[in-house]
Amino acid sequence: MTSDLSPDALPPASSGHIRLTSHSGGLDALPIRWGAPTPAERGPVVGTTSRRSHRNVIGTHSGSYSVYRALAVAAGALSREHRADLTDTAPTDVVGPHPQWSEPDRIVSLDPWGAVTSDVFADRLAAGHDIRPTIAITKAHVILPEIADAIAQGRLRPDGRFLLDSGAALVTKAAVEPVWYLPGVAQRFGCTEAALRRVLFEETGGMYPELVTRSDLEVFLPPIGGQTVYIFGSATDLVNPEVELTARVHDECNGSDVFGSDICTCRPYLTHAIEECILCAQRGGVGLVAYSRKEGRALGEVTKFLVYNARKRQVGGDTAEQYFARTECVAGVQDMRFQELMPDVLHWLGIRKIHRLVSMSNMKYDAITGSGIEVGERVNIPDELIPADAQVEIDAKMAAGYFTPGQVPDAAELGKAKGRGLGT
Amino acid sequence: MTSDLSPDALPPASSGHIRLTSHSGGLDALPIRWGAPTPAERGPVVGTTSRRSHRNVIGTHSGSYSVYRALAVAAGALSREHRADLTDTAPTDVVGPHPQWSEPDRIVSLDPWGAVTSDVFADRLAAGHDIRPTIAITKAHVILPEIADAIAQGRLRPDGRFLLDSGAALVTKAAVEPVWYLPGVAQRFGCTEAALRRVLFEETGGMYPELVTRSDLEVFLPPIGGQTVYIFGSATDLVNPEVELTARVHDECNGSDVFGSDICTCRPYLTHAIEECILCAQRGGVGLVAYSRKEGRALGEVTKFLVYNARKRQVGGDTAEQYFARTECVAGVQDMRFQELMPDVLHWLGIRKIHRLVSMSNMKYDAITGSGIEVGERVNIPDELIPADAQVEIDAKMAAGYFTPGQVPDAAELGKAKGRGLGT
């Protein structure tokens, strides 16, 4: 479905005036009142590139994939006037609205109304505004060899409802794009909004001058990866603190999650969490995995591999003692994941209590509890799932404050070279 | 390691002049002569944000993770003057230089010298230029349940060299960040450089005005995900067309690669390729998997899930006939992966011939052979690895030109609803 050209549509790329930034809004732009209780009062997020005068955000949709969309236009494969035909795309499951959606500062990095834009902004769509969902919810079968193994070992039993004989676990899953409310993000990081805007602009080498010229635009669609949530059991049960919830918040690690590298515990901990989620659903609870695209502690994979080499080659070998120091030497920080924004997706789902948090990270725990969600038990990764070469990481993290039901390694332990060298 | 403040260092975020874009280069910026035969003539890629006058590119390092780096500065966790201490981070394996690195237009989307910056630009680093690697090469163990299963079934045999008794496959792996030479990228897509620059700027909602104000800067570090290459066997054997090479070029699909969704063949095809790579290394060849961060055909996961819902709900059910149409309705195109840029990483590795290409995609095949790499056999996914719900995808792709050694489905087959509904 391609819409008609309007007077304020962009000119073809080969002609016309280029506007390097803007200093005031279009007359037709709808206001966004972040955190307002109803969609009508909140207003839609409009990141279209085909009607400049309708835009009410900085940036555009699809996170970093907006660059590929631009390539598609440049290659002549995509009309810049294309408007999505959203027939039959509505969420398979109802999420919200929840009180958290309009509690002050509860959600600042995603649009809680992002899954239901076609419904709640139907009048605005009909009036010609190009409003796109920033969240999509569907059903899927999750089929993991580790789950098949758990069935074979008798730890899991198919029930035909949450887990099929085939080994498939039935899930509801949602993809969530980042939508940042800049005043709220600044508050989370303890800086002024002006400082955040300026640093985002300057430290990316000059991305989006509207960050500094358009203080009236409070919402930014950053070109970064989003999140995916997997729900085992009923999504509506997530809001009920009486229903047991087992949850893991997992940050992407392609080398382990997909390729099974043994230098860390990422995939084993993830598959263990999925096993726990299925068990929880089977005993009347619900399971949740929230997966964030933050490769290599949000430092990216090049930095990660550089750090691996430095760890393996340093004098004294790969030790827990030097684990964080090696990352800091290369990256300047130990971690850039900023768990401060992570609980937003839990509040979008209406969660008030996590009975079993499948994570040892104190940073994740502190962020979740600090955001007002109660956490019961913390579930560590079983020792037998820790690969030998990943002992360095686990020791270092436990010494740095990660949760463990066992003993925290002492200085002598931390100084031992437990990681493999590069030659083997 | 933090460097001294220099006169042209950026002021603190809270004060000083904000420059919205630039119109000419710093006097201290080193020229880049893309494709020049030696590093000295080519010059380093300098994307630093701490010395504006040294910058010779648009954008900055780490792809989309540059946004997180900015957050770290805003949060006060990272000094904007931090410079990476690259001690012990050098590549574990030598890649190149290869003749392809300086052949005209052979490589336009990565920096072939990106792994060896500390070595080949040592003099420039010593002179104070902040030159960062855009490629990192390390060693790893790849441990997959599917490979353990292949060993148990007798299809693979550990040899203590390429495959250990533990089930671990030994690999060399490299992470590669995107570095775009804009005149070359434009040529690949058949548009002018001016049109590419303008569309990249406008269709991202105004990202990087230097794309249009700085035609003297020909290199762009786009905020997108990169690639990872996994080498089974010796990296140096990749250049020898006499040594058998088994290769798969795989595009990210988080839902299958990590979570084992059965709506597509992504993970089964990937693990089959890894099995083929190990076998190839064991018979004296070499195996290669190149993994690109192009989730959901580079449309992103929100679009992907919207399309899943539309496919499952449409009148007539989920059919191969309507497979591509559903994506096009939502996204405006069937695919945004643009395989045109994909062969660059193969040329970086010096590859001239792929004996066994583990892919059925005609788009990948055409891009690889069109770039001058010979392809021998094409290896389809074995039928028994295709999940029932993924038959729609495979049928649709075969009908659209994907390689198959078997029969291409006819209209009657394509019209059958073979995909599961959403309720089950």
Side-chain angles (χ1 to χ4, degrees):
Chain A
M1 193 175 84
T2 303
S3 61
D4 296 323
L5 280 165
S6 87
D8 63 341
L10 287 177
S14 54
S15 69
H17 174 66
I18 300 176
R19 191 161 55 170
L20 294 180
T21 187
S22 68
H23 297 271
S24 60
L27 292 176
D28 305 329
L30 301 166
I32 298 177
R33 292 182 198 88
W34 196 264
T38 67
E41 293 165 275
R42 214 296 302 274
V45 165
V46 182
T48 182
T49 51
S50 59
R51 295 285 180 291
R52 265 188 192 167
S53 67
H54 286 182
R55 288 172 56 77
N56 62 10
V57 300
I58 300 164
T60 189
H61 288 285
S62 301
S64 55
Y65 295 104
S66 64
V67 174
Y68 282 93
R69 188 184 167 281
L71 271 190
V73 173
L78 175 65
S79 160
R80 62 203 310 169
E81 290 298 313
H82 171 76
R83 194 171 285 201
D85 171 0
L86 297 169
T87 308
D88 288 334
T89 64
T92 54
D93 291 68
V94 175
V95 171
H98 299 303
Q100 289 92 328
W101 293 15
S102 51
E103 286 168 10
D105 311 317
R106 193 68 83 193
I107 296 175
V108 301
S109 63
L110 60 84
D111 176 6
W113 303 99
V116 289
T117 50
S118 298
D119 183 20
V120 300
F121 301 119
D123 54 337
R124 300 301 194 177
L125 275 161
H129 288 267
D130 179 13
I131 302 166
R132 289 184 43 185
T134 57
I135 300 177
I137 306 176
T138 188
K139 295 283 194 195
H141 286 195
V142 163
I143 304 175
L144 300 179
E146 291 86 347
I147 296 303
D149 189 57
I151 294 171
Q153 306 283 327
R155 296 197 309 273
L156 282 176
R157 207 170 298 174
D159 54 24
R161 190 170 164 214
F162 303 107
L163 183 62
L164 306 186
D165 287 334
S166 64
L170 305 194
V171 300
T172 301
K173 62 181 183 179
V176 182
E177 282 175 12
V179 178
W180 287 5
Y181 174 61
L182 292 168
V185 172
Q187 196 180 357
R188 293 273 173 98
F189 292 112
C191 63
T192 65
E193 185 190 341
L196 175 68
R197 287 170 174 267
R198 181 167 182 171
V199 170
L200 277 174
F201 174 66
E202 292 185 335
E203 293 300 312
T204 52
M207 181 193 283
Y208 290 117
E210 287 187 337
L211 285 164
V212 289
T213 63
R214 291 294 303 276
S215 57
D216 62 311
L217 295 179
E218 295 186 314
V219 174
F220 176 40
L221 308 181
I224 61 175
Q227 304 171 81
T228 319
V229 295
Y230 285 78
I231 300 163
F232 302 77
S234 168
T236 52
D237 283 344
L238 289 168
V239 304
N240 184 349
E242 303 301 314
V243 175
E244 187 191 7
L245 169 58
T246 295
R248 174 165 175 80
V249 181
H250 185 92
D251 293 321
E252 172 186 18
C253 169
N254 192 259
S256 170
D257 293 345
V258 177
F259 288 94
S261 164
D262 64 344
I263 200 170
C264 59
T265 57
C266 298
R267 183 173 172 99
Y269 212 171
L270 177 64
T271 58
H272 179 67
I274 291 171
E275 186 174 329
E276 290 285 345
C277 285
I278 295 169
L279 285 169
C280 190
Q282 289 183 329
R283 60 178 179 258
V286 57
L288 174 76
V289 173
Y291 189 97
S292 293
R293 304 300 180 95
K294 296 180 183 173
E295 177 60 57
R297 299 188 197 151
L299 298 166
E301 210 176 32
V302 168
T303 298
K304 183 177 186 170
F305 289 7
L306 295 174
V307 171
Y308 286 164
N309 284 349
R311 279 174 54 191
K312 299 291 191 184
R313 283 177 177 142
Q314 66 191 326
V315 176
D318 187 14
T319 67
E321 196 179 70
Q322 293 297 313
Y323 174 81
F324 289 112
R326 289 279 71 76
T327 302
E328 205 163 345
C329 278
V330 175
V333 293
Q334 294 179 0
D335 198 306
M336 275 188 199
R337 282 178 286 179
F338 294 109
Q339 302 295 350
E340 287 85 344
L341 300 177
M342 171 269 287
D344 288 13
V345 76
L346 308 175
H347 292 295
W348 171 63
L349 292 164
I351 292 169
R352 300 199 178 275
K353 179 172 181 178
I354 296 172
H355 301 69
R356 304 186 80 231
L357 178 64
V358 189
S359 168
M360 297 160 74
S361 165
N362 51 328
M363 289 173 285
K364 291 176 184 168
Y365 176 84
D366 292 347
I368 292 168
T369 56
S371 81
I373 293 172
E374 189 186 340
V375 172
E377 194 183 349
R378 294 157 81 177
V379 181
N380 60 303
I381 183 171
D383 287 343
E384 64 272 21
L385 294 184
I386 302 172
D389 200 44
Q391 196 61 51
V392 168
E393 180 197 291
I394 282 287
D395 284 1
K397 287 181 168 178
M398 289 190 298
Y402 266 46
F403 166 78
T404 170
Q407 204 159 8
V408 176
D410 61 15
E413 278 300 302
L414 297 175
K416 287 183 191 164
K418 297 183 178 177
R420 205 171 44 233
L422 281 169
T424 48
Chain B
M1 192 175 87
T2 303
S3 61
D4 297 324
L5 280 165
S6 86
D8 62 340
L10 288 177
S14 54
S15 68
H17 174 65
I18 300 176
R19 192 161 52 172
L20 294 179
T21 187
S22 69
H23 297 272
S24 60
L27 292 175
D28 304 330
L30 300 166
I32 298 176
R33 291 181 198 89
W34 194 264
T38 67
E41 293 165 272
R42 213 300 298 274
V45 165
V46 182
T48 183
T49 51
S50 59
R51 295 286 180 291
R52 266 188 190 166
S53 67
H54 286 183
R55 288 172 55 78
N56 62 10
V57 299
I58 300 165
T60 189
H61 288 285
S62 302
S64 55
Y65 294 103
S66 63
V67 174
Y68 283 93
R69 187 184 168 281
L71 270 190
V73 173
L78 175 65
S79 161
R80 62 204 309 170
E81 290 298 313
H82 171 76
R83 194 171 285 201
D85 171 0
L86 297 169
T87 307
D88 288 334
T89 64
T92 54
D93 291 69
V94 176
V95 171
H98 298 303
Q100 289 93 326
W101 293 15
S102 51
E103 286 168 11
D105 311 317
R106 192 68 86 191
I107 297 175
V108 301
S109 63
L110 59 84
D111 176 7
W113 303 99
V116 289
T117 50
S118 299
D119 183 21
V120 301
F121 300 119
D123 54 337
R124 300 302 194 176
L125 276 161
H129 288 268
D130 180 13
I131 302 166
R132 290 183 44 184
T134 57
I135 301 178
I137 307 176
T138 189
K139 295 283 194 195
H141 286 196
V142 163
I143 304 176
L144 300 179
E146 291 87 344
I147 295 303
D149 189 56
I151 294 172
Q153 306 283 326
R155 296 198 308 273
L156 281 175
R157 206 168 299 176
D159 54 25
R161 190 172 164 213
F162 303 107
L163 184 62
L164 306 185
D165 287 334
S166 65
L170 305 193
V171 299
T172 300
K173 63 181 182 179
V176 182
E177 282 175 10
V179 178
W180 286 5
Y181 174 61
L182 292 168
V185 172
Q187 196 179 0
R188 293 273 173 97
F189 292 111
C191 63
T192 66
E193 184 189 340
L196 175 68
R197 286 170 174 267
R198 181 166 183 171
V199 170
L200 277 174
F201 174 66
E202 290 184 336
E203 293 301 313
T204 52
M207 182 193 284
Y208 290 117
E210 287 187 338
L211 285 165
V212 288
T213 64
R214 292 294 302 276
S215 57
D216 62 311
L217 295 179
E218 297 186 313
V219 174
F220 176 39
L221 307 182
I224 60 175
Q227 304 172 81
T228 318
V229 296
Y230 285 78
I231 301 163
F232 302 76
S234 168
T236 52
D237 283 342
L238 289 168
V239 304
N240 185 350
E242 302 301 314
V243 175
E244 188 192 5
L245 170 57
T246 295
R248 174 164 175 79
V249 181
H250 185 91
D251 293 322
E252 173 185 16
C253 169
N254 193 258
S256 170
D257 293 346
V258 177
F259 288 94
S261 164
D262 64 343
I263 199 172
C264 59
T265 58
C266 297
R267 183 172 172 100
Y269 212 171
L270 177 64
T271 59
H272 179 67
I274 291 171
E275 185 174 331
E276 290 285 344
C277 285
I278 295 169
L279 285 169
C280 190
Q282 289 183 328
R283 60 178 180 257
V286 57
L288 175 76
V289 173
Y291 189 97
S292 293
R293 303 301 181 94
K294 295 181 185 171
E295 177 60 55
R297 299 189 196 149
L299 298 167
E301 210 176 33
V302 168
T303 298
K304 182 176 184 170
F305 289 7
L306 295 173
V307 171
Y308 286 165
N309 284 349
R311 279 175 52 191
K312 300 291 192 184
R313 283 176 176 141
Q314 66 191 325
V315 175
D318 187 15
T319 66
E321 197 179 70
Q322 291 300 313
Y323 174 80
F324 289 112
R326 288 280 71 76
T327 302
E328 207 164 345
C329 279
V330 176
V333 293
Q334 294 179 0
D335 198 307
M336 276 189 197
R337 282 178 288 181
F338 294 110
Q339 303 295 349
E340 287 84 346
L341 301 177
M342 171 271 285
D344 288 15
V345 76
L346 307 176
H347 292 295
W348 172 62
L349 293 163
I351 292 169
R352 298 199 179 276
K353 180 170 179 178
I354 296 171
H355 300 70
R356 305 186 78 230
L357 178 65
V358 188
S359 169
M360 295 159 75
S361 165
N362 51 329
M363 289 172 285
K364 291 177 184 169
Y365 177 85
D366 291 347
I368 292 170
T369 55
S371 80
I373 293 172
E374 188 186 340
V375 171
E377 194 183 350
R378 293 158 82 177
V379 181
N380 60 304
I381 184 171
D383 286 343
E384 64 272 22
L385 294 184
I386 301 172
D389 200 44
Q391 196 62 49
V392 169
E393 178 196 292
I394 283 287
D395 284 0
K397 287 180 169 180
M398 289 189 298
Y402 266 46
F403 167 77
T404 171
Q407 204 158 8
V408 176
D410 61 16
E413 278 299 304
L414 297 175
K416 287 183 192 162
K418 297 184 177 177
R420 207 173 40 233
L422 282 169
T424 48

